[in-house]
Amino acid sequence: MEFQQDEITQQVAQVARDFAHLHIKPHVMEWDERQEFPAHVFREMGKLGLMGVLVPEAYGGAGLSYFEYVAVIQEVAKVCGSLGLSLAAHNSLCTGHILQFGNEQQKQKYLPRLASGEWLGAWGLTEPETGSDAGNMKTTAVKDGDHWVLNGNKNWITHGRSGEVAVVIARTGEPRVSGNSTAFIVERGTTGFLGGKKENKLGMRASETAEMIFDNCRIPDSQRLGEVGDGFRQALKILDGGRISIAALSIGIAKGAFEAALQYSKERKQFDQPIASFQGISFKLADMATEIEAAELLTMQAADLKNKKLPMTKEAAMAKYYASEVAVKVSTDAVQIFGGYGYTKDFPVEKYYRDSKLCTIGEGTSEIQKTVIARQILNK
């Protein structure tokens, strides 16, 4: 496995880096404080191909690999975890689901709008009473002639209010039986499809997280993705790729926190010398750098397998689990290096600290990742 960035990956990373520093960095704390979701920024990213990194050029996307995708998410997350999260959710969940499981007509209709940033995507699996227990979901889709009628609530949905189109997994069979769910594409403006409560979060505050409500929402059968009963199987495959996204997001947050702490440790003086010269600080920095590189290697391994269309459930879970925990540890140590200043909003590390925690929860908690890994190694 060769993970050295080639010229294309470097160029794409530079585009994302330049955009993040020019258009995102000046507004990070303003958006965070106000919980403002800057939808206009994503339309601008669409013009650069960042909203359809993995979408083939035939559907209006950039047609790039998971290596470039990981680089893009990292560069945006180094500046703002919130926007990195929204960018990842749009690319890997909604857009990725339609790309992987949509028929040709669905791909032609939705992918160009999603890849260009004209439309923002949402993806609905989680519900108020079911997270990992998706086989017991309460949102149902009932066949009525050549239509389906959806009823229920989804929550913790990125772009639950603002997404112009959502992929929704609904139960079409009895609870807790195999093959009891189906995926559908639902457009905003469809009667009975409503945005609900917006969550007031600890971190990732500029990434919209909200309910999606379905109240006798009637959609034609042409909006069904794949076969009836195939929804959960599809969702598991999408989550494999999504875990690479969260790993990349975690690494970006960790790198942002590390770079801020490294710079501060060289500038802050105590006892007439930079605090970086003290072993207690330098060893923290050594641990941070080592753990980030290890997380990045795990993530690139999963991305390499994904590019080659090889099984990568275990590797993606390992990358997501380790990278997310590293993000929390590194950002915690960054706050410690900053001391009292790290606890204030005048310096960037408190935001990395708040944002990092979601990475250990979203798209499967660390405990769920360990369950996935254990099953993979035990079955083997």
Side-chain angles (χ1 to χ4, degrees):
M1 293 176 286
E2 176 56 60
F3 300 147
Q4 187 67 36
Q5 284 192 347
D6 62 20
E7 187 176 352
I8 292 176
T9 307
Q10 291 174 4
Q11 289 173 351
V12 171
Q14 188 65 53
V15 167
R17 187 180 308 125
D18 291 345
F19 182 91
H21 281 271
L22 184 61
H23 297 286
I24 298 174
K25 190 172 184 178
H27 310 287
V28 165
M29 290 311 297
E30 170 193 349
W31 292 335
D32 182 79
E33 290 285 335
R34 299 196 321 218
Q35 294 199 82
E36 178 182 344
F37 175 60
H40 66 281
V41 174
F42 294 91
R43 288 190 286 273
E44 293 302 314
M45 284 197 276
K47 295 176 182 177
L48 298 175
L50 304 183
M51 296 291 277
V53 179
L54 301 166
V55 175
E57 293 181 34
Y59 301 114
L64 298 171
S65 78
Y66 263 80
F67 291 153
E68 287 76 48
Y69 177 58
V70 166
V72 165
I73 299 302
Q74 280 193 40
E75 293 297 339
V76 173
K78 278 172 68 175
V79 173
C80 180
S82 294
L83 270 67
L85 172 63
S86 277
L87 186 63
H90 171 90
N91 271 280
S92 71
L93 298 180
C94 178
T95 305
H97 200 136
I98 295 172
L99 175 62
Q100 192 165 345
F101 294 106
N103 59 38
E104 188 60 29
Q105 183 180 7
Q106 291 166 339
K107 291 178 184 179
Q108 292 284 357
K109 181 177 181 180
Y110 292 107
L111 291 180
R113 285 178 162 179
L114 289 164
S116 69
E118 177 189 351
W119 278 11
L120 196 64
W123 192 77
L125 177 65
T126 304
E127 297 183 359
E129 296 180 15
T130 59
S132 303
D133 185 17
N136 196 34
M137 68 175 65
K138 301 297 188 290
T139 299
T140 59
V142 177
K143 190 79 182 294
D144 182 19
D146 59 356
H147 283 69
W148 293 86
V149 180
L150 275 63
N151 280 287
N153 289 19
K154 298 290 183 179
N155 71 338
W156 305 111
I157 307 303
T158 306
H159 315 142
R161 284 182 174 181
S162 297
E164 283 86 1
V165 62
V167 171
V168 181
I169 293 88
R171 184 163 56 78
T172 49
E174 294 300 314
R176 301 195 186 284
V177 299
S178 179
N180 72 345
S181 64
T182 305
F184 301 90
I185 304 171
V186 188
E187 294 182 25
R188 188 71 61 182
T190 303
T191 302
F193 177 27
L194 308 168
K197 175 190 174 186
K198 180 179 177 180
E199 301 296 341
N200 184 6
K201 307 192 298 291
L202 168 71
M204 302 290 194
R205 290 167 62 84
S207 177
E208 180 188 272
T209 306
E211 285 181 306
M212 293 193 303
I213 300 169
F214 301 92
D215 182 10
N216 289 319
C217 178
R218 190 177 178 86
I219 57 172
D221 187 57
S222 60
Q223 297 300 100
R224 174 170 46 83
L225 276 162
E227 299 301 319
V228 173
D230 207 26
F232 188 58
R233 185 188 70 83
Q234 292 178 13
L236 290 177
K237 290 185 178 296
I238 295 303
L239 286 171
D240 277 348
R243 286 167 183 154
I244 296 175
S245 298
I246 301 300
L249 176 69
S250 302
I251 293 165
I253 291 170
K255 284 184 175 181
F258 170 72
E259 290 173 10
L262 179 63
Q263 184 65 30
Y264 181 80
S265 72
K266 294 176 181 178
E267 296 171 353
R268 171 72 167 170
K269 290 188 176 181
Q270 292 287 279
F271 305 100
D272 302 319
Q273 55 187 311
I275 62 172
S277 66
F278 299 121
Q279 189 178 80
I281 300 298
S282 66
F283 277 16
K284 277 189 186 297
L285 292 167
D287 284 341
M288 294 158 81
T290 301
E291 289 161 356
I292 288 170
E293 290 213 13
E296 195 159 21
L297 285 169
L298 278 172
T299 304
M300 296 310 288
Q301 174 183 241
D304 182 57
L305 292 170
K306 184 70 172 172
N307 284 337
K308 294 173 179 174
K309 303 187 187 306
L310 295 173
M312 37 67 77
T313 297
K314 179 191 73 174
E315 290 78 8
M318 285 179 167
K320 195 272 188 190
Y321 164 53
Y322 186 74
S324 64
E325 295 291 343
V326 164
V328 172
K329 184 176 184 300
V330 167
S331 60
T332 301
D333 285 345
V335 171
Q336 199 71 16
I337 289 170
F338 271 79
Y341 292 114
Y343 205 65
T344 72
K345 292 183 180 294
D346 295 327
F347 291 86
V349 289
E350 67 86 27
K351 182 175 183 298
Y352 291 121
Y353 179 72
R354 288 186 290 111
D355 287 349
S356 66
K357 187 57 192 171
L358 182 68
C359 297
T360 69
I361 299 170
E363 295 197 36
T365 62
S366 291
E367 291 74 19
I368 288 296
Q369 304 313 313
K370 287 194 265 190
T371 298
V372 171
I373 296 163
R375 284 176 179 169
Q376 291 288 313
I377 61 178
L378 290 171
N379 288 341
K380 206 169 209 180

